Amino acid sequence: MPAPVQSALGWVVREAATNVLRHGDATRCDITLAVTDGRTTLTVENNGVPDAVPSGGGSGLAGLRERLAEVDGTLDFAAGQGRFRLTAAVPPLPGSTVPAAPPPIP
């Protein structure tokens, strides 16, 4: 991935991990990174979320949106039934190439 995308997604992982540890009682957290047609999508989903999650998100999420906007990315989140899902998506950057996915580990 191009360095600006790596940096933006790194911030997403750090902020998501901080939120999991500070704002809930998670027993599970799944982090998924997928590249499809050059579009990179990072999803962080955890359980142990209180029923009352602010609908607008906090200042950390606003900061992530700003960082992702610098690489034409988006940030979405949803909460419900004790779960929280954060999804960051970044389109291919002009001139970037996406390597073929490595084969699965047996």
Side-chain angles (χ1 to χ4, degrees):
M1 277 182 255
V5 171
Q6 288 181 36
S7 178
L9 294 179
W11 277 101
V12 172
V13 170
R14 284 187 290 278
E15 180 66 23
T18 298
N19 288 345
V20 168
L21 295 171
R22 284 189 180 169
H23 302 299
D25 191 20
T27 59
R28 181 177 180 114
C29 179
D30 298 311
I31 300 174
T32 307
L33 181 67
V35 179
T36 307
D37 297 326
R39 184 171 184 80
T40 304
T41 303
L42 173 71
T43 304
V44 181
E45 184 172 354
N46 63 282
N47 67 357
V49 177
D51 290 334
V53 175
S55 61
S59 60
L61 295 178
L64 290 180
R65 280 197 171 106
E66 291 173 10
R67 288 185 180 276
L68 287 165
E70 293 173 6
V71 290
D72 295 325
T74 59
L75 182 76
D76 294 304
F77 66 91
Q81 299 179 344
R83 301 190 67 76
F84 187 84
R85 177 182 299 139
L86 184 70
T87 304
V90 181
L93 295 177
S96 66
T97 58
V98 178
I105 298 173

